[in-house]
Amino acid sequence: MSLIRSAFHASSCPILPFVCFTFSALIGFSFPVMAQTGSGVPEWLTLNFEQQTRFQHLDGQFRAGLEGSDQGIEWRNTLRADAEFERFSVTAELADMRTYLVDRDSPLDSFTNNPIDILQVNVTVPFSGLFNEEDRGFIRIGRFTMDQGSRRFVARNRFRNTINSFAGVQARLESGNNSLELFYTHPTRRLVSGERIDNDPRLDKQSSDFFWGGFFTTRLTAQEDSLQLYLLGADELRDLPSNRRFDVLSTGARLFRNPAPGRWHYDTEALYQWGDAPALEVDSSLRDHKAYYFHLSVGYSFDAHWQPRLSFLYHYGSGDKDPLDNESNELDHLFGVPRPDFGPTGLFRAFQRVNTSSPGLMLNLQPAENIDAYVRWQRPSLAEEAQGWRTTRYRHPGGLGEVFLGDQLETRVRWNLFSNKLTIDGGYAWINAGPYMDLVNKGDSNYVYIQTILRL
């Protein structure tokens, strides 16, 4: 217990002293109670542990400056405690997220490694009847994780080894078919001591950046057609010179219907960003930022054995038309997750929403109640030739005369066992190199992974 108490009083959460102290006191009190009663966990306290281990191998590097193959083990443990009382609840979550057995030049960053630290510690106060009897909601203060909207711009990561968290205030109000969610936060900076490959812990810190937003969702029809409208603000790099700031607003709309047997489903989302981007030179002024994103998926779920669902997909994320001019057009996908739309992250992480035009097809299957699978084919190209392939570190201000990257074929099978306490998940992704990859002397890539998720 001394480790937990010392961690909660550490400088990793300087803006949360009351929350940290409260949770430390609750945990410290609960252990004597459990020892005296012999009944395990008291009724007001819930403990959850999750362990995720992923074995992965990449054959055929597509990133600039890297050759051959790579491999690694991603290892993530989370321990969460929820203490619920009549008027409020307290949540804390510790997370240990590491990567092992990778090569010295593997692309490790804050997406792959974040040794033991505090992922969440917050107080939630529920309320009801704010404007009428149907109203339900909460106010949350502290450090927390979030899933918002489609999760394309704000999400708690599930596949990626590390998880986004934020410190600030979050509020939600639900009334009938409508809901409104607001937040005002500082994103958490995920840190390590020394090189990431060594996995030495260092306490995370809240950045001086601001990230805030609001999501309004309403159900339009009995078939559960829903509309989401949202506004997001990001003010980054505030501790650097004024001409290095990234200060943008993002406004978006999403219209969707979730899949169900025997009917059509769709998901369309559009976002526009504007504001200021960092200057190209030290003595230059900020650049105008104008970027946009569009997503469309439409398909049909057959009411048949294995519940086949076939969907057409398209993603477009703007890129920089001229990386050397005074305007930035590179989409910032903020704190979203690429996995549901573009395939595995980890050592793969080939495609994302930036500078991408990608049509595709997807077939989902459910052979059994506890088994699901999919096969997805995509055909990504560069939205803007001059910017190059963002995730591979290639940039071509003069252009290469080619935008087609290649074909990506991906498949995944997931098996849930023992009432979802154990999940076995395996997948494969193949990039069939296109003309662009030929020009930068890269060939096909093959990525395979298998992972287990244990929940207690």
Side-chain angles (χ1 to χ4, degrees):
M1 291 307 300
S2 61
L3 174 62
I4 295 177
R5 292 193 182 96
S6 63
F8 272 66
H9 289 283
S11 61
S12 63
C13 44
I15 70 170
L16 312 174
F18 172 73
V19 179
C20 296
F21 172 79
T22 302
F23 186 79
S24 299
L26 290 171
I27 293 294
F29 176 74
S30 69
F31 273 78
V33 171
M34 287 185 282
Q36 292 175 7
T37 63
S39 60
V41 179
E43 291 185 1
W44 51 266
L45 181 64
T46 303
L47 298 176
N48 292 283
F49 173 74
E50 182 174 292
Q51 203 289 318
Q52 177 174 293
T53 300
R54 180 183 306 121
F55 301 88
Q56 54 184 337
H57 179 78
L58 174 64
D59 182 26
Q61 286 282 5
F62 46 81
R63 293 179 175 86
L66 298 179
E67 300 292 339
S69 63
D70 202 354
Q71 69 293 311
I73 297 177
E74 291 186 330
W75 189 74
R76 184 172 80 192
N77 298 282
T78 59
L79 176 62
R80 173 170 172 159
D82 294 278
E84 294 197 17
F85 303 97
E86 183 177 353
R87 298 184 181 274
F88 69 96
S89 63
V90 180
T91 295
E93 187 174 12
L94 298 178
D96 192 18
M97 300 168 283
R98 309 179 185 223
T99 300
Y100 295 103
L101 301 182
V102 293
D103 296 332
R104 179 60 63 174
D105 59 354
S106 295
L108 303 181
D109 51 27
S110 64
F111 295 166
T112 58
N113 299 63
N114 187 210
I116 188 166
D117 219 307
I118 302 169
L119 184 62
Q120 297 193 83
V121 54
N122 57 73
V123 172
T124 300
V125 179
F127 61 82
S128 60
L130 186 62
F131 299 107
N132 58 62
E133 293 182 357
E134 292 184 336
D135 290 352
R136 298 290 184 273
F138 66 81
I139 297 176
R140 179 171 294 138
I141 301 174
R143 180 183 287 184
F144 45 81
T145 62
M146 293 189 292
D147 277 327
Q148 298 284 1
S150 64
R151 304 180 65 243
R152 295 187 177 101
F153 297 95
V154 189
R156 174 177 171 128
N157 311 83
R158 298 173 187 172
F159 187 89
R160 197 186 79 185
N161 203 38
T162 62
I163 300 172
N164 298 324
S165 68
F166 311 85
V169 60
Q170 177 187 14
R172 180 176 176 85
L173 173 64
E174 297 180 10
S175 182
N177 293 330
N178 304 317
S179 68
L180 176 65
E181 193 144 3
L182 305 171
F183 59 90
Y184 190 85
T185 70
H186 293 284
T188 304
R189 293 178 57 200
R190 297 181 294 274
L191 303 174
V192 299
S193 179
E195 296 185 23
R196 292 193 180 273
I197 196 171
D198 297 325
N199 290 303
D200 292 331
R202 179 183 174 189
L203 291 175
D204 292 345
K205 294 182 179 180
Q206 300 310 137
S207 70
S208 56
D209 306 338
F210 288 108
F211 181 58
W212 56 269
F215 280 77
F216 172 75
T217 305
T218 183
R219 193 173 70 183
L220 301 175
T221 69
Q223 289 76 34
E224 299 185 358
D225 296 274
S226 297
L227 173 67
Q228 286 181 339
L229 303 173
Y230 57 91
L231 177 67
L232 302 171
D235 189 352
E236 302 177 3
L237 307 179
R238 295 177 60 87
D239 52 346
L240 294 178
S242 59
N243 71 338
R244 303 302 299 164
R245 286 178 55 181
F246 183 75
D247 188 0
V248 301
L249 293 174
S250 303
T251 184
R254 179 182 176 223
L255 186 65
F256 65 97
R257 180 192 295 177
N258 291 322
R263 75 179 191 188
W264 290 89
H265 60 269
Y266 64 91
D267 184 357
T268 180
E269 182 169 8
L271 173 140
Y272 179 69
Q273 285 182 343
W274 75 98
D276 296 320
L280 291 175
E281 305 292 341
V282 175
D283 57 351
S284 300
S285 59
L286 289 166
R287 294 180 296 157
D288 289 335
H289 179 78
K290 298 177 182 178
Y292 47 95
Y293 171 78
F294 176 74
H295 165 80
L296 171 67
S297 62
V298 59
Y300 188 81
S301 300
F302 296 91
D303 191 2
H305 188 53
W306 286 31
Q307 300 181 33
R309 184 169 80 242
L310 183 63
S311 305
F312 167 79
L313 316 168
Y314 181 70
H315 305 272
Y316 184 92
S318 64
D320 216 332
K321 299 177 182 178
D322 183 354
L324 301 180
D325 67 7
N326 291 322
E327 184 173 288
S328 166
N329 308 113
E330 179 182 316
L331 177 75
D332 189 313
H333 56 85
L334 302 171
F335 299 92
V337 290
R339 164 60 167 155
D341 292 334
F342 295 101
T345 52
L347 290 178
F348 190 65
R349 201 170 62 191
F351 303 105
Q352 56 184 10
R353 295 180 181 88
V354 180
N355 196 30
T356 297
S357 176
S358 179
L361 294 172
M362 186 170 183
L363 176 63
N364 293 78
L365 300 169
Q366 188 157 358
E369 185 176 353
N370 63 337
I371 300 175
D372 63 87
Y374 70 73
V375 178
R376 176 165 51 192
W377 165 81
Q378 291 172 286
R379 194 174 176 84
S381 298
L382 301 179
E384 296 294 341
E385 178 188 342
Q387 183 179 346
W389 192 354
R390 178 70 162 76
T391 55
T392 65
R393 309 172 187 167
Y394 289 106
R395 285 182 177 270
H396 311 290
L400 286 179
E402 183 57 61
V403 296
F404 176 47
L405 301 178
D407 294 281
Q408 176 175 289
L409 181 66
E410 178 207 354
T411 184
R412 186 189 77 179
V413 178
R414 184 169 53 188
W415 186 18
N416 297 307
L417 299 165
F418 309 117
S419 301
N420 207 37
K421 294 186 180 299
L422 175 65
T423 298
I424 300 174
D425 179 1
Y428 169 73
W430 170 49
I431 298 178
N432 182 26
Y436 177 95
M437 297 181 71
D438 293 337
L439 291 173
V440 295
N441 298 315
K442 294 293 183 179
D444 292 5
S445 292
N446 294 271
Y447 172 83
V448 63
Y449 78 89
I450 185 169
Q451 71 177 12
T452 60
I453 306 174
L454 176 67
R455 306 174 185 88
L456 299 176

